[in-house]
């Protein structure tokens, strides 16, 4: 099992940047594909970005492509989400999630992720 703790959320003006971190417990972090998801008030949780276990493959939702970058440091058991050119519509609670797999390919489906963090709030003001 793995436990996930997100940090780095906050309030930022439109056009600004934030970097989210997700620290994982355990010694097998490199065996997990990781994803970031978000949920805005009154909306369903949606996919944002994903990275495979080795960091060699990434995937992004169209709404964040070119603005957000997912990365990981397996030595630090941490996955990151660098968010640039933030927009008010990026306001949401951001969750990181883990799925135990050594597959090269990433996955966008919420149901494929067995482990979730508690979330961190990101608010972008206009």
């Amino acid at each position: 099992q793995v436990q996930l703790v997100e940090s780095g959320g906050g309030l930022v003006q439109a056009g600004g940047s934030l970097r989210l971190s997700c620290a994982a417990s355990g010694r097998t972090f490199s065996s997990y594909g990781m994803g970031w998801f978000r949920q805005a008030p009154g909306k369903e949780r949606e996919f944002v970005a994903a990275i495979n276990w080795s960091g060699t493959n990434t995937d992004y939702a169209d709404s964040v492509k070119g603005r957000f970058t997912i990365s990981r440091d397996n030595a630090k058991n941490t996955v990151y989400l660098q968010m640039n050119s933030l927009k008010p519509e990026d306001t949401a609670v951001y969750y990181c999630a883990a799925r135990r797999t050594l597959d090269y390919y990433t996955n966008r489906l919420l149901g494929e992720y067995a482990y979730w963090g508690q979330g961190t709030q990101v608010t972008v003001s206009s």
Side-chain angles (χ1 to χ4, degrees), residues 11-26:
L11 173 64
V12 64
Q13 289 188 333
S17 298
L18 282 174
R19 188 175 82 155
L20 304 183
S21 299
C22 174
S25 65

Side-chain angles (χ1 to χ4, degrees):
Q1 290 190 351
V2 63
Q3 292 183 324
L4 306 172
V5 179
E6 302 98 334
S7 61
L11 173 64
V12 64
Q13 289 188 333
S17 298
L18 282 174
R19 188 175 82 155
L20 304 183
S21 299
C22 174
S25 65
R27 296 177 290 178
T28 60
F29 178 69
S30 59
S31 299
Y32 290 83
M34 301 297 295
W36 285 98
F37 295 80
R38 67 186 181 187
Q39 188 167 18
K43 295 188 176 181
E44 294 186 349
R45 194 170 299 188
E46 65 176 5
F47 169 77
V48 175
I51 190 167
N52 70 351
W53 66 276
S54 60
T56 56
N57 190 23
T58 58
D59 183 29
Y60 298 92
D62 288 346
S63 59
V64 307
K65 198 171 294 183
R67 300 188 298 122
F68 290 11
T69 302
I70 188 171
S71 62
R72 66 189 297 159
D73 186 337
N74 286 347
K76 295 183 178 180
N77 281 15
T78 302
V79 62
Y80 304 98
L81 186 67
Q82 178 67 45
M83 306 186 294
N84 299 329
S85 302
L86 282 161
K87 305 175 181 180
E89 51 263 44
D90 294 318
T91 295
V93 177
Y94 283 71
Y95 298 89
C96 72
R99 54 191 290 263
R100 190 176 180 100
T101 178
L102 295 178
D103 194 351
Y104 171 79
Y105 296 101
T106 59
N107 197 295
R108 295 186 170 200
L109 300 177
L110 276 71
E112 292 293 320
Y113 291 82
Y115 306 100
W116 292 81
Q118 82 289 348
T120 185
Q121 176 70 47
V122 171
T123 303
V124 184
S125 62
S126 57

